[in-house]
Amino acid sequence: MKAPRGTQDLLPGVTEKWQYVEEKLKDLSRRFHYQEIRTPIFEHTELFQRGVGDTTDIVQKEMYTFLDKGDRSITLRPEGTASVVRSFVEHKLFGAPNQPTKLFYIGPMFRYERPQQGRMRQFVQYGVEALGSADPAIDAEVISLAMSVYQTLGLRSLKLVINSLGDQESRASHRQALIDHFTPVKEELCGDCQNRLEHNPLRILDCKKDRDHPKMQDAPSILEYLNEDSAAYFEKVKAYLDEMGINYQVDPKLVRGLDYYNHTAFEIMSDADGFGAITTLSGGGRYNGLVQDLGGPETPGIGFALSIERLLMALEAENVSLPIDQQLDCYVVALGETANLKAAAITNDLRQAGIQVDKDYQGKKFKAQFKAADRLQAKFVIVLGDDELAHNQIAVKNMETGEQEAIAIDQLITHMQGIL
């Protein structure tokens, strides 16, 4: 038996890297005052049809959808925002006295697509959502948090790209301009883009198949169709980023892949050599109408999400070593039947005192136990034999220096806490 295609086992030696990254993400979230939310791994299919959009590739091609035993259509979550907003509406978090509501999540997502490096069918996403503020400053804060994730972990080859998708009025004008622009060459476009031309022409700009088509190069820019309010909003977002010293590039063709985005959209990319053809690390933007679409009151929102798999790939591409401490605090070596019995109690007492400790469970000889301690990179070895027990003592050996000292058994925990 093997793991299903597009999934992976994270084994010891690798999971420590994940744990380190996840703790950094949680710590950074707390610094920005975002609180954790945990939503179900599966939701009613309608949530993603309404929240993500019927015209998106996710809904049309990539969702894991099935009927449960009650003939209800259920979908494994393909992204986190729709679930968070559903929870925000269901639990009336919009009524909390402190606004905006600032949330983060870490968890598995599922998309049926061709597996490739850094893109799995089950992948882990970290994301944040800020709901309840239409202030351009919160856009800049969310972008700053996204950039801080990568910079805190040591990445340097980063590129931030931003754009404005405008409000509904601006998007309607731009939509018509795109239809007029691409309709004469409709038959030259791929099947997906021919469908998008009727339902969501903005998505044509995000097509990978037709990106080299001549009409892509001179397609109407959304920035040319921003009304006064949308243009002013975008200028304020850029002013905040400038003031915060966050470098960015404006890309009028950046549209993002989900229907709910409006106003600010952004992506962070890796410029590192050897990272791969797909350079995007994370992306996000503003979605002022999504709460209403899911049955809530008029509530602005903005967020972003990143793949932890791709984050780890970027760290590897830039040769960033995570400071993972794989050393064991101490290893208990016992020789003799009485000593083995006592070793189990001492090991348990040390663990209860907060010390990381292990011992032999395979009946190895004295020398083999020391080799095991060495393989586990134990900082100290606690040596217990029948002779030591007779004198109510235990030997503690520093594996780095080779120094060894005799300690009274009832003083062992205090001694170990002191030297560790």
Side-chain angles (χ1 to χ4, degrees):
M1 297 290 288
K2 293 185 178 181
R5 187 166 184 246
T7 67
Q8 62 180 332
D9 297 313
L10 300 176
L11 304 178
V14 174
T15 53
E16 288 83 357
K17 295 179 181 179
W18 281 72
Q19 291 163 358
Y20 179 85
V21 167
E22 288 167 1
E23 285 306 312
K24 284 292 183 182
L25 292 172
K26 291 176 182 178
D27 177 65
L28 200 56
S29 301
R30 284 189 287 267
R31 277 195 262 159
F32 279 72
H33 198 220
Y34 284 73
Q35 296 177 295
E36 186 175 10
I37 183 171
R38 302 186 183 190
T39 61
I41 287 178
F42 60 87
E43 300 265 10
H44 294 293
T45 302
E46 182 189 9
L47 171 66
F48 302 112
Q49 291 171 335
R50 291 173 61 185
V52 176
D54 280 330
T55 65
T56 61
D57 286 351
I58 290 176
V59 171
Q60 291 188 348
K61 303 177 183 179
E62 298 174 1
M63 295 202 309
Y64 280 92
T65 298
F66 58 93
L67 293 177
D68 69 5
K69 292 185 178 181
D71 283 333
R72 292 170 291 252
S73 183
I74 298 296
T75 295
L76 300 179
R77 61 185 183 194
E79 58 96 50
T81 300
S83 293
V84 171
V85 173
R86 188 269 310 151
S87 182
F88 175 83
V89 173
E90 181 177 346
H91 299 287
K92 297 180 172 62
L93 298 183
F94 48 80
N98 294 322
Q99 295 294 339
T101 301
K102 296 163 64 172
L103 305 167
F104 81 91
Y105 59 86
I106 302 176
M109 308 292 163
F110 304 85
R111 294 187 193 178
Y112 187 85
E113 56 183 337
R114 185 173 65 85
Q116 51 191 298
Q117 190 177 24
R119 298 187 74 167
M120 308 292 288
R121 289 177 174 173
Q122 176 179 321
F123 57 98
V124 179
Q125 209 171 64
Y126 162 78
V128 307
E129 316 292 348
L131 296 150
S133 172
D135 187 345
I138 199 78
D139 299 41
E141 176 182 283
V142 167
I143 292 172
S144 174
L145 173 51
M147 289 294 288
S148 296
V149 167
Y150 300 109
Q151 292 165 342
T152 298
L153 287 166
L155 291 179
R156 292 293 175 263
S157 298
L158 300 170
K159 181 173 71 173
L160 169 64
V161 177
I162 66 172
N163 190 24
S164 173
L165 303 180
D167 58 14
Q168 287 186 347
E169 180 184 66
S170 303
R171 289 188 66 166
S173 299
H174 185 231
R175 183 181 190 277
Q176 188 57 52
L178 289 171
I179 292 173
D180 295 341
H181 180 77
F182 285 109
T183 296
V185 296
K186 178 179 178 180
E187 299 306 318
E188 299 174 17
L189 303 176
C190 70
D192 285 338
C193 283
Q194 291 181 28
N195 183 54
R196 289 164 181 160
L197 187 57
E198 295 182 21
H199 299 98
N200 190 355
L202 186 66
R203 292 278 288 110
I204 295 175
L205 302 178
D206 200 34
C207 181
K208 303 299 186 288
K209 292 181 182 178
D210 290 331
R211 61 185 171 188
D212 295 325
H213 192 284
K215 279 289 187 179
M216 285 289 195
Q217 310 311 314
D218 60 349
S221 166
I222 180 64
L223 299 181
E224 299 169 3
Y225 291 86
L226 296 181
N227 58 22
E228 187 176 343
D229 289 343
S230 295
Y233 192 94
F234 192 39
E235 289 303 316
K236 288 180 182 177
V237 172
K238 292 189 289 183
Y240 278 112
L241 294 175
D242 291 338
E243 190 67 24
M244 297 163 76
I246 298 174
N247 296 322
Y248 59 86
Q249 296 178 18
V250 176
D251 181 359
K253 289 186 170 62
L254 175 64
V255 298
R256 302 293 299 145
L258 307 180
D259 282 358
Y260 51 60
Y261 286 116
N262 47 53
H263 285 298
T264 308
F266 68 94
E267 288 187 355
I268 299 172
M269 305 173 183
S270 171
D271 278 342
D273 291 336
F275 180 63
I278 302 172
T279 59
T280 303
L281 290 170
S282 65
R286 184 164 277 283
Y287 47 85
N288 288 350
L290 184 56
V291 175
Q292 297 95 294
D293 289 346
L294 298 182
E298 184 176 346
T299 307
I302 184 170
F304 79 89
L306 63 85
S307 157
I308 294 183
E309 287 88 347
R310 293 189 66 75
L311 168 56
L312 289 167
M313 273 180 60
L315 291 170
E316 185 176 342
E318 292 196 34
N319 296 312
V320 176
S321 297
L322 300 179
I324 307 299
D325 182 7
Q326 304 217 14
Q327 282 192 289
L328 186 68
D329 285 342
C330 55
Y331 190 91
V332 177
V333 170
L335 186 63
E337 187 174 341
T338 305
N340 267 309
L341 192 63
K342 186 65 175 176
I346 288 173
T347 299
N348 187 61
D349 289 344
L350 288 167
R351 289 168 175 165
Q352 298 301 320
I355 296 170
Q356 183 192 30
V357 58
D358 208 347
K359 65 179 289 295
D360 171 56
Y361 291 100
Q362 294 185 309
K364 291 179 179 177
K365 295 184 178 180
F366 193 74
K367 194 172 183 179
Q369 291 184 56
F370 261 96
K371 286 183 178 179
D374 197 46
R375 285 194 302 272
L376 292 169
Q377 302 178 58
K379 299 172 186 173
F380 295 91
V381 170
I382 293 170
V383 184
L384 182 63
D386 290 342
D387 289 343
E388 284 82 4
L389 279 178
H391 294 88
N392 201 34
Q393 286 188 330
I394 199 164
V396 176
K397 181 176 182 179
N398 185 318
M399 293 294 280
E400 183 178 358
T401 65
E403 295 177 359
Q404 183 170 306
E405 54 185 326
I407 305 295
I409 291 179
D410 60 1
Q411 296 296 312
L412 177 64
I413 290 175
T414 302
H415 177 76
M416 293 308 301
Q417 287 174 330
I419 61 177
L420 286 167

